[in-house]
Amino acid sequence: MQVLVMYDIASSRLRLKVAETCLDYGLDRIQFSVFLGDLSEPQRRALIATLQDLIGDEPSKLCILPIPQNAMAAAFTYEQEAAM
Amino acid sequence: MQVLVMYDIASSRLRLKVAETCLDYGLDRIQFSVFLGDLSEPQRRALIATLQDLIGDEPSKLCILPIPQNAMAAAFTYEQEAAM
């Protein structure tokens, strides 16, 4: 299944660990705090458990949202690079 | 249709304007830079045009993603409030 992982995390140290975990699971970073990728159901459950363990009681919001496989094809995306 | 709006915007001033625009369109702020809500197709197109105008050539990423009406029901969400 295609999964979006989005988070608000106050601690830079924890934010980095969460981002590294998402990359470890093969997700792509589509925004600074949003990752997208394919996970099996066991992988999705393992990712939830891992992130919950990492986050513990640190102030944060986490959302792991399954989306249809073709959903991103209908997305409007816009990107402006920083001028050099 | 249910729509997720996600962005990375470097400028605080512009980020605030984009957030205010999302709220004006009746979207709910589910994370600092992620909004969710129902939009008609004309509203979705108008929101895209408005956000593109606002952002112009400022460094940013914007994603407006239609998701199924019931998608959030299958989401895993976790929230820890900051300790007082």
Side-chain angles (χ1 to χ4, degrees), chain A residues 5-19:
Chain A
V5 179
M6 305 171 266
Y7 51 82
D8 277 344
I9 294 176
S11 151
S12 305
R13 179 195 54 75
L14 179 57
R15 211 164 47 232
L16 181 64
K17 278 196 192 175
V18 167

Side-chain angles (χ1 to χ4, degrees), chain A residues 62-64, chain B residues 72 75-79:
Chain A
L62 170 66
C63 178
I64 299 179
Chain B
M72 285 305 293
F76 170 84
T77 57
Y78 184 66
E79 183 163 357

Side-chain angles (χ1 to χ4, degrees), chain B residues 17-32:
Chain B
K17 279 195 190 175
V18 167
E20 285 170 349
T21 302
C22 289
L23 294 174
D24 286 346
Y25 274 77
L27 304 181
D28 295 318
R29 190 171 213 160
I30 63 168
Q31 294 198 354
F32 185 67

